[in-house]
Amino acid sequence: MDRAEKGAFITAVLFLSFFFALIVYAAKGLNIDVPTCITDVKPYTQGQVIQHAPNRYEIHYLAKMWYFEPADVELPVGSTVDIYLTSGDVIHGFQIDGTNVNLMAVPGAISYARVKFEKPGVYHIVCHEYCGIGHQDMTTRIVVKGGEQK
């Protein structure tokens, strides 16, 4: 191996190591996870909010032209939420501003993500996949209300 090949090889190994370190940092340091598609659960036809414990929730979102069900959800600050998403008609997007939740709603499949709402505020949800003539109005929100701090 001549000097130029050795330099190219070392440079390639350094770049690969750097990119691998960035992936590990994103996964562990920033808690960014790849969305999960659940294939062994039958898609539901109605959205709902299920409370399992004081700060533990499960939300089944149903995306349809041109709304999300359930609409406006209120949660207490510090809530951990398991989000399940499906579509009743066409492919839709689902992004919660201010979080790393970014899912696709696909008919016949269920997407999953977990998020913890540490700060009070309004978290807007938008459809980021063009789904028809009313796409620009396909929004909802999660309102996280803060409790009294002791």
Side-chain angles (χ1 to χ4, degrees):
M1 192 181 319
D2 70 1
R3 184 176 173 188
E5 288 175 327
K6 194 179 284 186
F9 180 75
I10 290 171
T11 302
V13 168
L14 289 173
F15 272 113
L16 285 173
S17 300
F18 175 71
F19 289 129
F20 181 73
L22 286 177
I23 290 171
V24 170
Y25 172 70
K28 301 297 182 188
L30 300 177
N31 200 25
I32 295 176
D33 201 3
V34 176
T36 304
C37 182
I38 300 172
T39 57
D40 60 343
V41 176
K42 184 179 177 186
Y44 41 87
T45 57
Q46 186 176 354
Q48 63 180 329
V49 178
I50 303 166
Q51 183 175 3
H52 293 291
N55 279 346
R56 192 83 169 97
Y57 293 85
E58 185 174 308
I59 303 177
H60 294 191
Y61 275 106
L62 176 65
K64 290 183 111 177
M65 289 184 186
W66 290 278
Y67 64 93
F68 292 105
E69 183 183 310
D72 298 352
V73 174
E74 289 188 11
L75 301 171
V77 71
S79 294
T80 300
V81 181
D82 291 320
I83 295 175
Y84 296 89
L85 173 69
T86 193
S87 172
D89 44 34
V90 299
I91 294 175
H92 296 279
F94 183 90
Q95 180 178 358
I96 304 175
D97 288 343
T99 71
N100 62 0
V101 175
N102 186 344
L103 301 172
M104 295 298 293
V106 179
I110 296 177
S111 298
Y112 168 79
R114 177 176 285 169
V115 63
K116 184 167 186 176
F117 293 100
E118 300 278 1
K119 299 177 185 173
V122 177
Y123 294 83
H124 294 278
I125 299 171
V126 297
C127 176
H128 59 73
E129 185 73 25
Y130 183 73
C131 56
I133 197 164
H135 164 73
Q136 72 279 358
D137 297 322
M138 191 168 172
T139 63
T140 191
R141 61 193 186 148
I142 295 175
V143 179
V144 178
K145 296 195 173 194
E148 292 185 30
Q149 303 296 325
K150 293 181 181 180

